[in-house]
Amino acid sequence: MTNAVVSLQNAKKSFGANQVLKDISLTVQQGDVLAIIGPSGGGKSTLLRCMTLLETLDDGSLSYGDLEVCRRQNGRAVYGGKDVLAKAKGRFGLVFQNFNLFPHYTVLKNITDPLVSVQKMPRPEAEARAVELLAKMGLSGKEAMVPCELSGGQQQRVAIARALAMNPDVLFFDEPTSALDPELTREVLKVIRDLASEHMTMVIVTHEMSFARDVADRIIFMDGGVIVEQGPAEQLINNPQHNRTRAFLSNYTQG
Amino acid sequence: MEFGVMMGILLDGLQLTVLIFFVTLLGALPLGVVVALARMSRFKPLSLVAQFYISILRGTPLMLQLMAIMFGPYYLFGLEMGTDWKFGACAIGFILNYAAYFAEIYRSGIQSIPRGQYEAASVLGYTKAQTFMKIVLPQVIKRILPAMGNEIITLVKDTSLAFVLGIMEMFNAAKALAAREVSMVPYAIAALIYWLFCLLIEFVMNKIEKRLDYYHD
């Protein structure tokens, strides 16, 4: 348990009277590829946002490796100080549905600026890393362009490179292909597949069921703020145990 | 009076006009950021103070504000401010007034930046100050340029209000010349110079807009 890359225990989160997360626990081990599926409003995104510190938990505990980000105390989540949160942010990366690249920076600077400004890496080293990652993403030669000159799929690959450059222990994806058409979706999924084959630890919220089955080791099905079912990817997609999972999956043509 | 002499007097006035213009920008552009951030603060009292400040300064005539700052120290506290105080009062009045307008322009720009930009910066570990200075503000500047251009051009013409403090800027100089010469010509020349000044600003603003045209979002 202690050497889990991420450990979330008994997470609860409400927006007003609406409880979005109802006692969720999950751990991610080194090299795991975990997919989270489920209907909209089921709590997937909120779960991801709590784990990436964009939202705070009402109750529960969250750790990145040996770093305790928040702990349970008297039925509340108590967060660590600024330095703890800053350190935690160095351990994960997040790829957004809408890419959220910085439009006024070039592709290269989108990747190097966080390295230089946050990690205080010397600029030449940051640039070398960015160039290398862009090559890996199939984006060599795009360094000097600005995001608006790229297709959605290219922008998303820059966003993945930006997250990878920070050398995170785990990479989160929040519906990384939902803003893309099928052709562009394919090129982004290919990049994620490549990362999986390199044993990058990843947590992927997705609506691409066949992709989830192929690339993930484990799938979690979330609905109504709870984990309804989880298990090995093949098994959960091809042979779901719960009615809700079955009903949800039947909405997708299985490929 | 010779045309050359008249031009000399008007151009002397223009120097003061230009001075008021730049002093106001120098003070109000940064102060506006502070007021805008205060206005958007989640700390309610600060936000309310900023709202009140903006409301008063936008809701009363600049001419009246200038006079209040000019004569306030004497009538309220019995302070003798000396003859040069009019320049101080002028600078303070213009800066406070324009900061209120700029603050609202900044606010419109800041609030138009998508939340995703803040979230991306947060996840990458940027501090709040870094996020504002490196990610938000540069994008805000591009978005508010047209509104800013408008306001800055208004400022060119508003400098003429300094005449109420007895400052011999260009409008006051034209007024004096017109009275002495019983002629509308000084006004016409002043109008032409104001317009040329504004043309120059339009030119500069266009340049800046072009420079920031390398991206859109």
Side-chain angles (χ1 to χ4, degrees):
Chain A
M1 268 320 233
T2 49
N3 54 7
V5 176
V6 198
S7 171
L8 179 77
Q9 301 300 326
N10 308 107
K12 295 185 183 116
K13 174 74 182 174
S14 300
F15 294 111
N18 180 21
Q19 192 172 9
V20 187
L21 299 180
K22 300 171 180 163
D23 202 8
I24 301 266
S25 296
L26 75 92
T27 55
V28 183
Q29 304 291 339
Q30 175 77 41
D32 271 359
V33 178
L34 171 67
I36 303 175
I37 62 171
S40 300
K44 308 183 302 292
S45 279
T46 304
L47 176 64
L48 216 58
R49 291 173 62 81
C50 285
M51 293 176 82
T52 52
L53 311 181
L54 291 173
E55 302 281 356
T56 52
L57 292 169
D58 298 333
D59 186 12
S61 65
L62 174 64
S63 299
Y64 280 91
D66 55 359
L67 185 72
E68 187 179 63
V69 177
C70 83
R71 60 193 161 83
R72 297 186 79 182
Q73 196 176 318
N74 304 327
R76 281 183 45 228
V78 179
Y79 278 80
K82 253 187 189 164
D83 49 327
V84 172
L85 301 185
K87 210 170 159 195
K89 284 172 182 175
R91 297 199 178 182
F92 62 78
L94 172 61
V95 174
F96 296 86
Q97 183 176 344
N98 299 317
F99 331 135
N100 290 337
L101 293 174
F102 303 132
H104 57 306
Y105 283 170
T106 62
V107 165
L108 189 75
K109 196 165 181 195
N110 262 281
I111 301 170
T112 56
D113 195 70
L115 293 173
V116 174
S117 300
V118 178
Q119 294 194 349
K120 311 294 175 203
M121 184 185 283
R123 188 171 299 279
E125 197 181 321
E127 284 179 359
R129 183 182 289 188
V131 166
E132 187 187 319
L133 277 166
L134 284 170
K136 191 173 163 188
M137 297 291 138
L139 293 169
S140 287
K142 311 279 188 208
E143 287 84 358
M145 291 188 167
V146 282
C148 65
E149 295 174 298
L150 304 180
S151 73
Q154 290 171 331
Q155 290 190 46
Q156 192 60 300
R157 284 182 282 153
V158 174
I160 294 171
R162 179 173 72 173
L164 282 175
M166 305 295 277
N167 208 5
D169 296 336
V170 53
L171 198 49
F172 294 97
F173 293 82
D174 189 6
E175 302 188 19
T177 60
S178 294
L180 301 174
D181 62 40
E183 194 175 338
L184 301 180
T185 295
R186 213 171 316 133
E187 62 186 49
V188 170
L189 294 186
K190 180 185 175 302
V191 164
I192 301 174
R193 267 201 190 94
D194 291 348
L195 290 173
S197 67
E198 294 166 22
H199 306 291
M200 179 78 207
T201 311
M202 294 188 284
V203 177
I204 308 165
V205 169
T206 184
H207 289 296
E208 302 280 336
M209 293 310 143
S210 53
F211 167 72
R213 184 191 56 200
D214 296 346
V215 81
D217 310 310
R218 189 156 58 102
I219 297 183
I220 284 178
F221 172 69
M222 265 186 89
D223 189 14
V226 295
I227 295 176
V228 175
E229 181 170 355
Q230 59 180 314
E234 284 278 337
Q235 183 189 315
L236 191 133
I237 298 284
N238 294 341
N239 189 19
Q241 301 300 306
H242 285 70
N243 287 334
R244 276 152 87 185
T245 318
R246 255 179 241 135
F248 173 74
L249 287 172
S250 69
N251 293 328
Y252 290 86
T253 46
Q254 298 194 17
Chain B
M1 188 188 288
E2 254 184 74
F3 182 75
V5 179
M6 195 159 78
M7 275 312 280
I9 294 172
L10 283 174
L11 290 179
D12 280 349
L14 178 62
Q15 281 186 24
L16 273 176
T17 295
V18 171
L19 185 67
I20 296 169
F21 175 81
F22 280 111
V23 167
T24 304
L25 284 188
L26 216 64
L29 285 173
L31 183 61
V33 177
V34 176
V35 176
L37 291 177
R39 168 77 176 75
M40 288 183 293
S41 169
R42 264 179 297 186
F43 181 58
K44 263 276 168 257
L46 184 61
S47 169
L48 285 175
V49 168
Q51 269 184 63
F52 182 70
Y53 170 90
I54 292 167
S55 179
I56 292 286
L57 281 134
R58 287 199 311 181
T60 58
L62 174 54
M63 192 190 285
L64 203 147
Q65 292 165 19
L66 290 172
M67 285 161 66
I69 294 168
M70 176 82 174
F71 302 115
Y74 179 75
Y75 285 108
L76 292 175
F77 311 109
L79 290 172
E80 293 282 359
M81 300 300 288
T83 49
D84 280 347
W85 169 237
K86 63 184 175 191
F87 296 106
C90 178
I92 294 170
F94 270 95
I95 289 170
L96 291 182
N97 181 276
Y98 270 81
Y101 284 95
F102 288 159
E104 286 297 273
I105 295 177
Y106 287 132
R107 186 167 70 94
S108 72
I110 292 169
Q111 288 179 341
S112 76
I113 301 297
R115 207 169 55 147
Q117 292 288 302
Y118 291 93
E119 294 184 345
S122 160
V123 168
L124 289 165
Y126 285 91
T127 63
K128 279 199 168 140
Q130 283 176 327
T131 303
F132 186 73
M133 296 305 291
K134 299 181 76 98
I135 309 300
V136 175
L137 196 56
Q139 296 186 59
V140 165
I141 288 171
K142 178 182 164 97
R143 286 172 187 226
I144 64 174
L145 272 178
M148 271 298 184
N150 226 355
E151 204 55 42
I152 290 170
I153 279 174
T154 302
L155 171 61
V156 172
K157 295 161 295 166
D158 272 1
T159 55
S160 62
L161 290 171
F163 90 92
V164 292
L165 304 182
I167 291 173
M168 262 296 164
E169 44 64 52
M170 188 165 61
F171 179 73
N172 210 352
K175 195 160 152 268
L177 284 169
R180 195 165 63 191
E181 302 291 309
V182 199
S183 161
M184 287 293 127
V185 173
Y187 281 133
I189 297 172
L192 187 67
I193 297 174
Y194 278 120
W195 182 50
L196 290 174
F197 195 169
C198 289
L199 275 182
L200 185 67
I201 289 165
E202 282 171 27
F203 176 77
V204 171
M205 295 305 284
N206 278 336
K207 278 261 175 219
I208 301 174
E209 267 186 55
K210 283 245 164 63
R211 251 186 106 152
L212 294 180
D213 221 21
Y214 71 92
Y215 79 91
H216 60 82
D217 40 23

